[in-house]
Amino acid sequence: MAELWTGYVWPVVIIIAEIIAIVLPLLIGVAYLTYAERKVIGAIQLRKGPNTVGPFGLLQPMADGAKLFFKEIIIPQGASKGVFLLAPMMTFTLALIAWAVIPVNAGWVLSNINVGVLYLFAISSLGVYGIIMAGWASNSKYAFLGGLRSAAQMVSYEVSIGFVMISILLCVGSLNLSDVVHAQEKGVWFIIPHFPMFIVFYISGLAETNRSPFDLPEGESELVAGYMVEYSGMPFALFFLGEYANMFLMSGTITTLFLGGWLPPIAVAPFTWVPGIIWFALKVCVLLFGFLWIRATMPRYRYDQLMRLGWKVFLPLSLVWLVLTAGVLEVFGLVPN
């Protein structure tokens, strides 16, 4: 019995505890990101934002969640019921499982695989399917058009994101995300030599997560609410939370690739006294604030402007930067072994 516990049961318990340690703070963060967004936009627009449910309105996310939980789930007549219900679960789940390979501190990663970047890119690419499934299964032309629009948008900007990642990996010589952070520990954060790609990646992240000014799939004036127009109750909440979970994922990815992950800005005391996970969380919060700030200030793009930016600006720019990076590394003998 002792051998069974130590050989099989205990490792499973440890894995479950590690998953809970990642997922639980992420779920709380997603809930309170909605609160932070309403507060930030309210401050920018000289409004108060949520301030009645609990002290300073801090219980507003809980009230919103309870309201959505008890709302009736309405499935349209003619909809494909199984796919209709699976789509929001898939969208939200993919945003969570991608965190399995993102290191939040030295040695703090659920799965320290050697192809972490490929895993991350594959999981983020699968997010398109949840949106397509929702648009098709709803049996609504508005939802279907919103799904097609979102799929085209996400695929367009994933190409640029992929080339930016390759530029970073050329400087590291590894697909392991912990190695990406350690490579920045030896020199400078990659945001300095790759600053143009940081801007491309960040803006592409806005488009990838369907955030303003690229929230075209949810264009109220022409699509009512896009691919989720037929959803209500908890299925709608899963789509809503999936968008915010993807914001966390994109911010964590940018922090790892460009901002040194858990590394302090200056490797001297007292900065080194602060735990690495605190630095990681602070960097993610700064990037998330940028998401909220942009939503409060930028008007929505037209769809032709959105596609032109992705295919005619970001794609050529990321390709040129990739070739330039490879050339500089080769000429100066900086290619990693």
Side-chain angles (χ1 to χ4, degrees), residues 55-139:
F56 307 104
L58 287 172
L59 297 181
Q60 187 65 51
M62 307 304 173
D64 293 339
K67 179 184 72 172
L68 288 169
F69 182 79
F70 288 107
K71 275 186 173 291
E72 181 183 3
I73 299 175
I74 300 173
I75 300 177
Q77 186 177 10
S80 178
K81 183 176 180 180
V83 179
F84 184 86
L85 295 176
L86 180 62
M89 291 187 288
M90 182 177 180
T91 299
F92 184 63
T93 302
L94 288 173
L96 295 181
I97 64 176
W99 279 88
V101 298
I102 295 182
V104 297
N105 201 352
W108 290 26
V109 56
L110 183 62
S111 181
N112 194 30
I113 58 177
N114 291 328
V115 289
V117 173
L118 289 180
Y119 172 88
L120 194 61
F121 193 64
I123 294 298
S124 63
S125 299
L126 288 174
V128 177
Y129 290 98
I131 292 173
I132 293 177
M133 288 163 59
W136 176 81
S138 297
N139 194 31

Side-chain angles (χ1 to χ4, degrees), residues 313-334:
V313 179
F314 284 179
L315 178 58
L317 182 60
S318 59
L319 272 172
V320 169
W321 193 268
L322 174 60
V323 174
L324 182 63
T325 301
V328 170
L329 292 175
E330 181 65 29
V331 169
F332 292 96
L334 300 175

Side-chain angles (χ1 to χ4, degrees), residues 175-204:
L175 296 176
N176 185 290
L177 288 169
S178 295
D179 291 343
V180 173
V181 178
H182 288 304
Q184 298 174 79
E185 188 176 20
K186 301 173 184 177
V188 297
W189 292 355
F190 287 143
I191 188 176
I192 296 176
H194 294 277
F195 185 74
M197 292 302 98
F198 168 77
I199 299 298
V200 169
F201 199 100
Y202 192 79
I203 296 176
S204 298

